[in-house]
Amino acid sequence: MGYLGGFLVSLRQIGRKQRVTTQYPEEKAPKALRVHGRHVLNRYEDGMEKCIGCELCAGVCPARCIYVRGAENDPDAPVSPGERYGYIYEINYLRCIHCDLCVEACPTEAITESKMFEFSFTSRADAIYTKAELVVDDSGMPQRLPWEDWRPGEDLNTSAWMRATAPSGSAEFEGVVGWSGELGYGLRAPEADQIQKDAITSAHGDHGHDDHDDHDDHGHGGH
Ligand code: SF4
Ligand code: SF4
């Protein structure tokens, strides 16, 4: 009788609930705002690369899957603002666990994660993404590699969760958007609860309010 009881449990579901099963991969369920997917290396709105080759991301990575080497910028043709840039940057996706610690460690918001995690490889070489593959294109969008299954919206809000946390861990910035502009996006929109927090911060006359006003004035890249 035990197995008949099991059938009864299943039969009771008929007509009761909406089905949640989808035909994957033809149908994809919407992804949460803060899903961690494949990384991108961001650029500033003027096209300069944000990575300064400091290797902090490689140092913090628990899976030891980032390899970075920095190089001195040519003063006449700098790749990034400052003295150095990342001239070698690799992530091994056979190891990455998408913890986003690299994103958190990055002092310039150079490395973030998209929402796209549907990618598979037939060779080890394809699994090791190089800087040429990770850096966003001239419109600021992630490059679409042949083995990746991008869907609309998966290039938006890269590492949105990061923008909800305090830059460099400073409690003064809690709820205040301290994110620099990105090529193709401008200054990204804060999350809904950040607006509330900023309003509270404003009411208290606390640090960071002027910074948020600047962001609102500039718009958010049209997304
Ligand atoms: S997401 Fe985590 S595991 Fe992946 S590269 Fe970044 S620090 Fe390493
Ligand atoms: S991605 Fe960020 S943390 Fe990593 S080397 Fe570049 S600037 Fe440093």
Side-chain angles (χ1 to χ4, degrees):
M1 286 299 288
Y3 69 92
L4 286 177
F7 277 124
L8 281 175
V9 170
S10 301
L11 290 171
R12 283 198 201 104
Q13 305 308 311
I14 295 175
R16 279 194 169 184
K17 292 181 181 175
Q18 193 178 358
R19 277 194 314 127
V20 294
T21 305
T22 57
Q23 297 300 316
Y24 185 87
E26 291 78 13
E27 301 171 9
K28 272 196 193 179
K31 289 175 179 167
L33 182 63
R34 299 178 185 180
V35 161
H36 298 180
R38 194 267 268 177
H39 297 78
V40 291
L41 281 172
N42 296 300
R43 297 160 68 182
Y44 290 105
E45 291 171 279
D46 62 3
M48 297 274 267
E49 293 179 8
K50 291 189 174 185
C51 180
I52 54 174
C54 68
E55 303 178 25
L56 286 175
C57 52
V60 78
C61 177
R64 296 272 186 260
C65 64
I66 301 180
Y67 176 60
V68 188
R69 286 182 65 185
E72 298 289 320
N73 267 313
D74 178 350
D76 296 325
V79 177
S80 70
E83 293 180 4
R84 289 161 63 83
Y85 72 103
Y87 89 97
I88 294 178
Y89 198 103
E90 294 178 354
I91 297 180
N92 184 344
Y93 282 104
L94 295 175
R95 293 187 185 176
C96 176
I97 57 173
H98 295 279
C99 64
D100 257 16
L101 286 177
C102 52
V103 178
E104 197 161 357
C106 181
T108 63
E109 307 145 9
I111 185 82
T112 58
E113 287 195 342
S114 69
K115 302 284 168 284
M116 197 286 297
F117 55 69
E118 287 91 350
F119 53 126
S120 57
F121 325 98
T122 54
S123 78
R124 180 178 170 81
D126 288 345
I128 299 173
Y129 278 45
T130 62
K131 177 182 169 183
E133 295 167 326
L134 290 166
V135 73
V136 294
D137 65 18
D138 289 343
S139 61
M141 302 297 139
Q143 300 182 53
R144 267 73 164 162
L145 301 174
W147 51 83
E148 296 178 338
D149 183 10
W150 286 89
R151 301 295 170 94
E154 291 177 343
D155 58 346
L156 305 178
N157 297 312
T158 51
S159 288
W161 68 274
M162 187 58 197
R163 285 185 295 282
T165 61
S168 303
S170 170
E172 288 185 320
F173 285 86
E174 184 178 354
V176 177
V177 178
W179 205 252
S180 59
E182 291 175 22
L183 182 66
Y185 291 96
L187 287 161
R188 293 176 186 264
E191 294 182 6
D193 65 333
Q194 289 181 303
I195 293 169
Q196 283 183 343
K197 286 177 181 173
D198 285 355
I200 293 168
T201 305
S202 170
H204 292 175
D206 204 352
H207 178 86
H209 174 57
D210 290 339
D211 184 40
H212 178 61
D213 279 349
D214 285 348
H215 287 209
D216 277 351
D217 290 341
H218 283 87
H220 302 304
H223 289 284

